[in-house]
Amino acid sequence: MTGQFQLTQDQVAIRELAERFTADNITPNAAEWDEKYIFPRDIIQQSAELGFGSIYVSEESGGIGLGRLEAALIMEAMAYGCPSTSAFISIHNMASWMIDRFGSQTVKDKYLPQLITMEHIASYCLTEPASGSDAAALKTTAKKDGDDYVLNGTKQFISGAGENEVYVAMVRTGEDGPRGISAIVIEKDMPGISFGANEKKLGWHSQPTAQLIMEDVRVPAENLVGGEGEGFRIAMQGLDGGRLNIGACSLGGAQRCLDEAIRYTKERSQFGQPVAEFQNTQFTLADMATDLEAARALLYLAAAKVTDNAPDKTRFSAMAKRLATDNGSAIVDRALQLHGGYGYLQDYPIERFWRDLRVHSILEGTNQIMRMVVGRDLLRQ
């Protein structure tokens, strides 16, 4: 940002580029993707032509090397059309960044070229059936055997499972707790890999979600990302950015629904006048806009802190994610109320955004966990 609160010309140009891509490719198709459970791989791959498959992969590795604020602007713009698709691209970027930031040159050379173009798409694999918020309790094992690790376990709620080619997974190579966790890159076609049935979800219909199941999967030791025991730290650093992006997806969805509510209340008449003329409507719209801008300001600040590696970056990313996702869902809910019965119909986009944004307060760390992160950091001061 220049000055104190203004985006730079480059940042505005990046946002406008993402807005044009969204208007041309995502917004016109999102309702059909949702209704028919279509995974729009072709459109996702087209976004890579703009660099959106490697937003914060370094330029040295072939990415576009942007900061976390620029990434948030892109995610927010794409979520205006479809939060589900935007979030999916965010997850790919998080996994690609982990390989670039912490992987050896061997791992980078093996995977990044096809991830940058999104010829191959990556998933992030942390959650397990019995370890969600308590991620450090994960049970998937990786035992060293010669030049390989042998993996056994199951990952739960994996976006892209069964469709994506690359999986950055957190596995246990040592003792219980966070110090025994390592990160490793797995390929879809490795023997012993299988996938559960596609989950039937409330929202996020444009992306597949399933279990990743590993049974005696042999993975080359060179696929380790970072050293043994560094996986939990790597995963948490990845989540700082992931939380910003999912918050940005809530901002984009909320902005779309605010715009839809303004348009609808101007057009809809009751008691002889447009609904927008009623003071109650104006107060509701004012509160929606205020809550949106407050969340946006905090998220942009947090993004700048993550880019600068500020000491309080994790606290701010947790605060921003919590506020953006809570406010985003509340804004969409009020937009649905302003639409009345029509807001409940699939003929209007509001109900899709209501469903898609609901999960944002759960994934990348529940909003209850976000409060714990913030509270503990405050008490350490």
Side-chain angles (χ1 to χ4, degrees):
M1 288 183 166
T2 57
Q4 202 168 6
F5 301 109
Q6 186 176 355
L7 296 176
T8 66
Q9 290 183 346
D10 286 345
Q11 289 166 340
V12 171
I14 289 165
R15 181 180 64 190
E16 290 176 348
L17 179 66
E19 287 173 344
R20 288 195 298 272
F21 179 83
T22 300
D24 292 341
N25 300 285
I26 297 178
T27 304
N29 301 306
E32 182 182 11
W33 297 342
D34 174 79
E35 181 182 358
K36 298 180 180 178
Y37 292 78
I38 295 171
F39 174 50
R41 189 180 183 103
D42 56 338
I43 300 300
I44 290 169
Q45 289 177 328
Q46 285 180 35
S47 76
E49 297 173 10
L50 304 178
F52 295 169
S54 56
I55 297 170
Y56 31 83
V57 171
S58 65
E59 293 183 77
E60 293 78 10
S61 295
I64 60 175
L66 298 180
R68 298 311 175 108
L69 176 53
E70 290 81 8
L73 294 173
I74 293 168
M75 297 303 159
E76 182 179 350
M78 289 194 293
Y80 191 90
C82 180
S84 170
T85 302
S86 182
F88 190 87
I89 294 172
S90 166
I91 293 165
H92 168 84
N93 273 274
M94 179 166 61
S96 298
W97 172 80
M98 289 179 174
I99 292 173
D100 180 47
R101 175 66 177 81
F102 300 103
S104 66
Q105 194 60 50
T106 298
V107 173
K108 293 179 186 180
D109 291 343
K110 186 187 294 188
Y111 294 109
L112 283 179
Q114 290 171 308
L115 293 177
I116 288 168
T117 62
M118 295 187 86
E119 179 183 348
H120 288 175
I121 304 177
S123 294
Y124 170 80
C125 308
L126 176 63
T127 300
E128 297 184 1
S131 63
S133 295
D134 186 11
L138 66 85
K139 300 297 184 185
T140 296
T141 59
K143 297 182 178 180
K144 193 72 178 293
D145 183 22
D147 293 331
D148 298 330
Y149 286 96
V150 180
L151 276 56
N152 283 280
T154 300
K155 294 295 181 179
Q156 182 77 13
F157 302 133
I158 305 304
S159 291
E163 288 282 351
N164 291 356
E165 291 80 13
V166 175
Y167 300 84
V168 180
M170 305 305 138
V171 297
R172 186 163 302 284
T173 54
E175 63 190 78
D176 290 342
R179 294 182 181 179
I181 296 172
S182 301
I184 196 164
V185 182
I186 305 166
E187 298 174 21
K188 175 182 180 179
D189 295 330
M190 287 178 170
I193 292 287
S194 62
F195 302 94
N198 197 15
E199 303 287 0
K200 298 178 180 179
K201 308 186 297 281
L202 175 70
W204 276 26
H205 291 171
S206 74
Q207 56 163 288
T209 304
Q211 288 184 333
L212 167 67
I213 303 166
M214 294 159 279
E215 297 176 296
D216 292 329
V217 180
R218 300 190 74 89
V219 181
E222 65 182 17
N223 279 22
L224 204 66
V225 177
E228 277 201 7
E230 295 181 357
F232 192 76
R233 177 179 63 86
I234 292 170
M236 294 303 103
Q237 289 193 45
L239 284 176
D240 281 341
R243 288 165 181 167
L244 294 173
N245 286 349
I246 208 65
C249 288
S250 285
L251 296 179
Q255 183 67 65
R256 171 69 178 281
C257 291
L258 173 59
D259 292 347
E260 294 285 345
I262 292 171
R263 182 182 306 109
Y264 179 81
T265 56
K266 285 181 176 180
E267 296 172 351
R268 174 74 167 171
S269 291
Q270 292 288 279
F271 304 104
Q273 61 180 320
V275 173
E277 295 299 319
F278 292 106
Q279 188 179 64
N280 179 68
T281 301
Q282 295 172 14
F283 282 5
T284 300
L285 292 171
D287 286 345
M288 292 163 68
T290 301
D291 290 348
L292 178 57
E293 292 299 341
R296 181 178 281 134
L298 179 58
L299 190 127
Y300 287 7
L301 172 61
K305 285 179 175 287
V306 171
T307 297
D308 293 341
N309 198 30
D312 54 1
K313 63 177 182 178
T314 296
R315 172 168 30 116
F316 270 80
S317 66
M319 289 193 297
K321 188 266 183 182
R322 201 286 300 166
L323 187 67
T325 56
D326 279 350
N327 283 11
S329 288
I331 290 164
V332 174
D333 189 70
R334 280 177 280 180
L336 194 154
Q337 190 72 19
L338 286 172
H339 277 72
Y342 291 103
Y344 203 67
L345 302 181
Q346 292 182 359
D347 302 283
Y348 292 77
I350 303 298
E351 63 85 30
R352 170 166 57 88
F353 283 87
W354 189 90
R355 288 184 287 107
D356 279 350
L357 263 62
R358 180 59 184 87
V359 75
H360 293 186
S361 61
I362 298 173
L363 50 81
E364 309 286 15
T366 67
N367 285 3
Q368 289 72 29
I369 293 295
M370 295 304 95
R371 291 176 172 88
M372 289 175 59
V373 171
V374 173
R376 287 175 178 174
D377 190 66
L378 290 171
L379 293 172
R380 279 197 292 266
Q381 296 181 19

mmCIF file of all heavy atoms in Angstrom, residues 98 124-128 135 138-141 151 155 167-172 181-184 186 214 225 230-236:
data_model
loop_
_atom_site.group_PDB
_atom_site.id
_atom_site.type_symbol
_atom_site.label_atom_id
_atom_site.label_comp_id
_atom_site.label_asym_id
_atom_site.label_seq_id
_atom_site.Cartn_x
_atom_site.Cartn_y
_atom_site.Cartn_z
ATOM 1 N N MET A 98 4.437 -23.995 -0.386
ATOM 2 C CA MET A 98 5.180 -24.831 0.557
ATOM 3 C C MET A 98 6.344 -25.529 -0.135
ATOM 4 O O MET A 98 7.457 -25.598 0.404
ATOM 5 C CB MET A 98 4.255 -25.871 1.195
ATOM 6 C CG MET A 98 3.266 -25.312 2.176
ATOM 7 S SD MET A 98 2.218 -26.626 2.827
ATOM 8 C CE MET A 98 1.314 -25.706 4.060
ATOM 9 N N TYR A 124 -3.627 -29.732 -0.223
ATOM 10 C CA TYR A 124 -2.984 -29.602 1.086
ATOM 11 C C TYR A 124 -3.664 -30.593 2.022
ATOM 12 O O TYR A 124 -4.896 -30.590 2.141
ATOM 13 C CB TYR A 124 -3.151 -28.167 1.586
ATOM 14 C CG TYR A 124 -2.758 -27.901 3.016
ATOM 15 C CD1 TYR A 124 -1.425 -27.727 3.359
ATOM 16 C CD2 TYR A 124 -3.725 -27.770 4.020
ATOM 17 C CE1 TYR A 124 -1.066 -27.441 4.675
ATOM 18 C CE2 TYR A 124 -3.377 -27.492 5.328
ATOM 19 C CZ TYR A 124 -2.048 -27.324 5.647
ATOM 20 O OH TYR A 124 -1.682 -27.037 6.944
ATOM 21 N N CYS A 125 -2.878 -31.443 2.679
ATOM 22 C CA CYS A 125 -3.456 -32.555 3.435
ATOM 23 C C CYS A 125 -2.961 -32.542 4.881
ATOM 24 O O CYS A 125 -1.854 -33.007 5.178
ATOM 25 C CB CYS A 125 -3.087 -33.886 2.786
ATOM 26 S SG CYS A 125 -3.447 -33.978 1.026
ATOM 27 N N LEU A 126 -3.794 -32.034 5.773
ATOM 28 C CA LEU A 126 -3.466 -31.983 7.194
ATOM 29 C C LEU A 126 -4.508 -32.733 8.020
ATOM 30 O O LEU A 126 -4.169 -33.616 8.809
ATOM 31 C CB LEU A 126 -3.368 -30.523 7.655
ATOM 32 C CG LEU A 126 -3.127 -30.282 9.149
ATOM 33 C CD1 LEU A 126 -1.771 -30.859 9.580
ATOM 34 C CD2 LEU A 126 -3.196 -28.787 9.464
ATOM 35 N N THR A 127 -5.783 -32.419 7.832
ATOM 36 C CA THR A 127 -6.862 -32.969 8.650
ATOM 37 C C THR A 127 -7.010 -34.477 8.468
ATOM 38 O O THR A 127 -6.823 -35.007 7.373
ATOM 39 C CB THR A 127 -8.184 -32.276 8.301
ATOM 40 O OG1 THR A 127 -8.059 -30.879 8.555
ATOM 41 C CG2 THR A 127 -9.343 -32.832 9.104
ATOM 42 N N GLU A 128 -7.348 -35.154 9.560
ATOM 43 C CA GLU A 128 -7.621 -36.590 9.541
ATOM 44 C C GLU A 128 -8.962 -36.862 10.202
ATOM 45 O O GLU A 128 -9.521 -35.979 10.878
ATOM 46 C CB GLU A 128 -6.503 -37.354 10.261
ATOM 47 C CG GLU A 128 -5.150 -37.210 9.571
ATOM 48 C CD GLU A 128 -4.043 -38.034 10.211
ATOM 49 O OE1 GLU A 128 -4.321 -38.748 11.210
ATOM 50 O OE2 GLU A 128 -2.911 -37.971 9.711
ATOM 51 N N ALA A 135 -4.658 -30.614 15.248
ATOM 52 C CA ALA A 135 -3.915 -31.135 14.096
ATOM 53 C C ALA A 135 -2.641 -31.862 14.497
ATOM 54 O O ALA A 135 -2.195 -32.787 13.809
ATOM 55 C CB ALA A 135 -3.578 -29.988 13.143
ATOM 56 N N LEU A 138 -2.284 -35.861 14.643
ATOM 57 C CA LEU A 138 -2.454 -36.696 13.441
ATOM 58 C C LEU A 138 -1.725 -38.035 13.584
ATOM 59 O O LEU A 138 -0.689 -38.133 14.248
ATOM 60 C CB LEU A 138 -2.006 -35.938 12.194
ATOM 61 C CG LEU A 138 -0.529 -35.566 12.011
ATOM 62 C CD1 LEU A 138 0.275 -36.699 11.396
ATOM 63 C CD2 LEU A 138 -0.400 -34.320 11.136
ATOM 64 N N LYS A 139 -2.283 -39.064 12.936
ATOM 65 C CA LYS A 139 -1.804 -40.434 13.109
ATOM 66 C C LYS A 139 -1.154 -41.032 11.864
ATOM 67 O O LYS A 139 -0.533 -42.098 11.943
ATOM 68 C CB LYS A 139 -2.972 -41.345 13.531
ATOM 69 C CG LYS A 139 -3.636 -40.943 14.839
ATOM 70 C CD LYS A 139 -2.685 -41.041 16.020
ATOM 71 C CE LYS A 139 -3.404 -40.738 17.333
ATOM 72 N NZ LYS A 139 -2.457 -40.725 18.484
ATOM 73 N N THR A 140 -1.306 -40.409 10.719
ATOM 74 C CA THR A 140 -0.716 -40.974 9.504
ATOM 75 C C THR A 140 0.788 -41.126 9.675
ATOM 76 O O THR A 140 1.483 -40.161 10.013
ATOM 77 C CB THR A 140 -1.010 -40.070 8.289
ATOM 78 O OG1 THR A 140 -2.422 -40.047 8.077
ATOM 79 C CG2 THR A 140 -0.328 -40.598 7.044
ATOM 80 N N THR A 141 1.298 -42.326 9.435
ATOM 81 C CA THR A 141 2.714 -42.601 9.692
ATOM 82 C C THR A 141 3.519 -42.637 8.397
ATOM 83 O O THR A 141 3.014 -43.002 7.335
ATOM 84 C CB THR A 141 2.883 -43.950 10.411
ATOM 85 O OG1 THR A 141 2.317 -44.995 9.607
ATOM 86 C CG2 THR A 141 2.215 -43.927 11.773
ATOM 87 N N LEU A 151 4.102 -44.925 3.784
ATOM 88 C CA LEU A 151 3.030 -44.155 4.410
ATOM 89 C C LEU A 151 1.777 -44.999 4.611
ATOM 90 O O LEU A 151 1.380 -45.762 3.729
ATOM 91 C CB LEU A 151 2.665 -42.941 3.532
ATOM 92 C CG LEU A 151 3.506 -41.673 3.678
ATOM 93 C CD1 LEU A 151 4.981 -41.927 3.457
ATOM 94 C CD2 LEU A 151 2.987 -40.576 2.759
ATOM 95 N N LYS A 155 -6.344 -39.131 5.221
ATOM 96 C CA LYS A 155 -6.570 -37.692 5.343
ATOM 97 C C LYS A 155 -8.019 -37.394 4.989
ATOM 98 O O LYS A 155 -8.570 -37.967 4.050
ATOM 99 C CB LYS A 155 -5.624 -36.915 4.425
ATOM 100 C CG LYS A 155 -4.153 -37.042 4.816
ATOM 101 C CD LYS A 155 -3.885 -36.419 6.164
ATOM 102 C CE LYS A 155 -2.433 -36.510 6.571
ATOM 103 N NZ LYS A 155 -2.175 -35.883 7.881
ATOM 104 N N TYR A 167 -0.166 -34.014 -3.795
ATOM 105 C CA TYR A 167 -0.694 -33.872 -2.448
ATOM 106 C C TYR A 167 0.457 -33.589 -1.486
ATOM 107 O O TYR A 167 1.367 -34.410 -1.341
ATOM 108 C CB TYR A 167 -1.444 -35.147 -2.024
ATOM 109 C CG TYR A 167 -2.608 -35.438 -2.938
ATOM 110 C CD1 TYR A 167 -2.411 -36.130 -4.143
ATOM 111 C CD2 TYR A 167 -3.884 -34.986 -2.643
ATOM 112 C CE1 TYR A 167 -3.464 -36.361 -5.020
ATOM 113 C CE2 TYR A 167 -4.947 -35.213 -3.524
ATOM 114 C CZ TYR A 167 -4.723 -35.899 -4.703
ATOM 115 O OH TYR A 167 -5.759 -36.122 -5.573
ATOM 116 N N VAL A 168 0.434 -32.418 -0.868
ATOM 117 C CA VAL A 168 1.425 -32.079 0.152
ATOM 118 C C VAL A 168 0.814 -32.488 1.493
ATOM 119 O O VAL A 168 -0.126 -31.844 1.987
ATOM 120 C CB VAL A 168 1.780 -30.591 0.133
ATOM 121 C CG1 VAL A 168 2.811 -30.272 1.217
ATOM 122 C CG2 VAL A 168 2.322 -30.194 -1.247
ATOM 123 N N ALA A 169 1.328 -33.556 2.064
ATOM 124 C CA ALA A 169 0.709 -34.177 3.239
ATOM 125 C C ALA A 169 1.587 -34.048 4.468
ATOM 126 O O ALA A 169 2.822 -34.152 4.393
ATOM 127 C CB ALA A 169 0.414 -35.648 2.964
ATOM 128 N N MET A 170 0.940 -33.848 5.611
ATOM 129 C CA MET A 170 1.617 -33.863 6.898
ATOM 130 C C MET A 170 1.525 -35.277 7.477
ATOM 131 O O MET A 170 0.426 -35.839 7.585
ATOM 132 C CB MET A 170 0.972 -32.861 7.861
ATOM 133 C CG MET A 170 0.907 -31.450 7.305
ATOM 134 S SD MET A 170 2.494 -30.794 6.775
ATOM 135 C CE MET A 170 2.026 -29.985 5.239
ATOM 136 N N VAL A 171 2.666 -35.852 7.812
ATOM 137 C CA VAL A 171 2.737 -37.249 8.260
ATOM 138 C C VAL A 171 3.622 -37.333 9.500
ATOM 139 O O VAL A 171 4.445 -36.455 9.755
ATOM 140 C CB VAL A 171 3.302 -38.154 7.142
ATOM 141 C CG1 VAL A 171 2.375 -38.158 5.928
ATOM 142 C CG2 VAL A 171 4.700 -37.699 6.721
ATOM 143 N N ARG A 172 3.447 -38.418 10.237
ATOM 144 C CA ARG A 172 4.238 -38.577 11.462
ATOM 145 C C ARG A 172 5.466 -39.442 11.175
ATOM 146 O O ARG A 172 5.345 -40.619 10.858
ATOM 147 C CB ARG A 172 3.385 -39.192 12.572
ATOM 148 C CG ARG A 172 4.122 -39.249 13.922
ATOM 149 C CD ARG A 172 3.175 -39.453 15.091
ATOM 150 N NE ARG A 172 2.156 -38.414 15.178
ATOM 151 C CZ ARG A 172 2.384 -37.170 15.626
ATOM 152 N NH1 ARG A 172 3.602 -36.823 16.016
ATOM 153 N NH2 ARG A 172 1.401 -36.301 15.678
ATOM 154 N N ILE A 181 6.166 -34.424 13.330
ATOM 155 C CA ILE A 181 5.438 -34.301 12.059
ATOM 156 C C ILE A 181 6.351 -33.762 10.968
ATOM 157 O O ILE A 181 7.130 -32.826 11.191
ATOM 158 C CB ILE A 181 4.212 -33.378 12.235
ATOM 159 C CG1 ILE A 181 3.224 -34.013 13.219
ATOM 160 C CG2 ILE A 181 3.541 -33.103 10.894
ATOM 161 C CD1 ILE A 181 2.076 -33.122 13.609
ATOM 162 N N SER A 182 6.253 -34.352 9.796
ATOM 163 C CA SER A 182 7.012 -33.912 8.623
ATOM 164 C C SER A 182 6.061 -33.702 7.452
ATOM 165 O O SER A 182 4.927 -34.177 7.454
ATOM 166 C CB SER A 182 8.082 -34.959 8.247
ATOM 167 O OG SER A 182 8.970 -35.183 9.319
ATOM 168 N N ALA A 183 6.540 -32.983 6.437
ATOM 169 C CA ALA A 183 5.752 -32.731 5.229
ATOM 170 C C ALA A 183 6.382 -33.477 4.060
ATOM 171 O O ALA A 183 7.608 -33.500 3.917
ATOM 172 C CB ALA A 183 5.701 -31.237 4.926
ATOM 173 N N ILE A 184 5.538 -34.068 3.229
ATOM 174 C CA ILE A 184 6.050 -34.846 2.108
ATOM 175 C C ILE A 184 5.094 -34.722 0.919
ATOM 176 O O ILE A 184 3.885 -34.538 1.098
ATOM 177 C CB ILE A 184 6.237 -36.330 2.516
ATOM 178 C CG1 ILE A 184 7.127 -37.067 1.524
ATOM 179 C CG2 ILE A 184 4.897 -37.026 2.707
ATOM 180 C CD1 ILE A 184 7.651 -38.394 2.059
ATOM 181 N N ILE A 186 3.215 -36.296 -2.267
ATOM 182 C CA ILE A 186 2.690 -37.577 -2.742
ATOM 183 C C ILE A 186 2.052 -37.363 -4.109
ATOM 184 O O ILE A 186 1.483 -36.304 -4.373
ATOM 185 C CB ILE A 186 1.637 -38.126 -1.751
ATOM 186 C CG1 ILE A 186 2.215 -38.230 -0.342
ATOM 187 C CG2 ILE A 186 1.105 -39.471 -2.202
ATOM 188 C CD1 ILE A 186 1.162 -38.436 0.726
ATOM 189 N N MET A 214 -3.965 -43.881 2.304
ATOM 190 C CA MET A 214 -2.617 -44.381 2.013
ATOM 191 C C MET A 214 -2.409 -45.733 2.683
ATOM 192 O O MET A 214 -2.544 -45.846 3.906
ATOM 193 C CB MET A 214 -1.574 -43.374 2.512
ATOM 194 C CG MET A 214 -1.606 -42.037 1.772
ATOM 195 S SD MET A 214 -0.851 -40.687 2.724
ATOM 196 C CE MET A 214 -2.224 -40.253 3.818
ATOM 197 N N VAL A 225 9.561 -32.329 2.301
ATOM 198 C CA VAL A 225 9.581 -30.864 2.207
ATOM 199 C C VAL A 225 10.081 -30.331 3.543
ATOM 200 O O VAL A 225 9.424 -30.491 4.570
ATOM 201 C CB VAL A 225 8.181 -30.308 1.889
ATOM 202 C CG1 VAL A 225 8.204 -28.783 1.870
ATOM 203 C CG2 VAL A 225 7.689 -30.852 0.550
ATOM 204 N N GLU A 230 9.875 -30.909 10.803
ATOM 205 C CA GLU A 230 9.558 -29.508 10.497
ATOM 206 C C GLU A 230 8.166 -29.330 9.893
ATOM 207 O O GLU A 230 7.744 -28.206 9.616
ATOM 208 C CB GLU A 230 10.594 -28.931 9.528
ATOM 209 C CG GLU A 230 11.997 -28.842 10.109
ATOM 210 C CD GLU A 230 12.998 -28.243 9.135
ATOM 211 O OE1 GLU A 230 12.602 -27.944 7.981
ATOM 212 O OE2 GLU A 230 14.159 -28.060 9.522
ATOM 213 N N GLY A 231 7.437 -30.424 9.727
ATOM 214 C CA GLY A 231 6.178 -30.368 9.012
ATOM 215 C C GLY A 231 5.116 -29.523 9.678
ATOM 216 O O GLY A 231 4.379 -28.792 9.004
ATOM 217 N N PHE A 232 5.020 -29.590 10.998
ATOM 218 C CA PHE A 232 3.965 -28.835 11.675
ATOM 219 C C PHE A 232 4.220 -27.341 11.552
ATOM 220 O O PHE A 232 3.290 -26.558 11.302
ATOM 221 C CB PHE A 232 3.875 -29.244 13.151
ATOM 222 C CG PHE A 232 2.642 -28.731 13.833
ATOM 223 C CD1 PHE A 232 1.407 -29.334 13.610
ATOM 224 C CD2 PHE A 232 2.704 -27.649 14.682
ATOM 225 C CE1 PHE A 232 0.261 -28.860 14.233
ATOM 226 C CE2 PHE A 232 1.566 -27.161 15.311
ATOM 227 C CZ PHE A 232 0.343 -27.774 15.084
ATOM 228 N N ARG A 233 5.471 -26.944 11.698
ATOM 229 C CA ARG A 233 5.814 -25.524 11.533
ATOM 230 C C ARG A 233 5.498 -25.057 10.116
ATOM 231 O O ARG A 233 4.952 -23.969 9.911
ATOM 232 C CB ARG A 233 7.300 -25.311 11.847
ATOM 233 C CG ARG A 233 7.779 -23.878 11.634
ATOM 234 C CD ARG A 233 9.252 -23.752 11.986
ATOM 235 N NE ARG A 233 10.098 -24.563 11.116
ATOM 236 C CZ ARG A 233 10.554 -24.138 9.926
ATOM 237 N NH1 ARG A 233 10.224 -22.934 9.482
ATOM 238 N NH2 ARG A 233 11.329 -24.916 9.205
ATOM 239 N N ILE A 234 5.820 -25.886 9.132
ATOM 240 C CA ILE A 234 5.538 -25.544 7.742
ATOM 241 C C ILE A 234 4.024 -25.436 7.521
ATOM 242 O O ILE A 234 3.536 -24.506 6.866
ATOM 243 C CB ILE A 234 6.152 -26.601 6.796
ATOM 244 C CG1 ILE A 234 7.680 -26.515 6.853
ATOM 245 C CG2 ILE A 234 5.645 -26.437 5.380
ATOM 246 C CD1 ILE A 234 8.392 -27.654 6.151
ATOM 247 N N ALA A 235 3.288 -26.398 8.088
ATOM 248 C CA ALA A 235 1.831 -26.381 7.935
ATOM 249 C C ALA A 235 1.223 -25.127 8.528
ATOM 250 O O ALA A 235 0.317 -24.515 7.943
ATOM 251 C CB ALA A 235 1.229 -27.621 8.590
ATOM 252 N N MET A 236 1.705 -24.716 9.696
ATOM 253 C CA MET A 236 1.156 -23.530 10.347
ATOM 254 C C MET A 236 1.490 -22.260 9.577
ATOM 255 O O MET A 236 0.670 -21.341 9.479
ATOM 256 C CB MET A 236 1.668 -23.428 11.783
ATOM 257 C CG MET A 236 1.170 -24.543 12.710
ATOM 258 S SD MET A 236 -0.639 -24.685 12.812
ATOM 259 C CE MET A 236 -0.949 -26.118 11.765
#
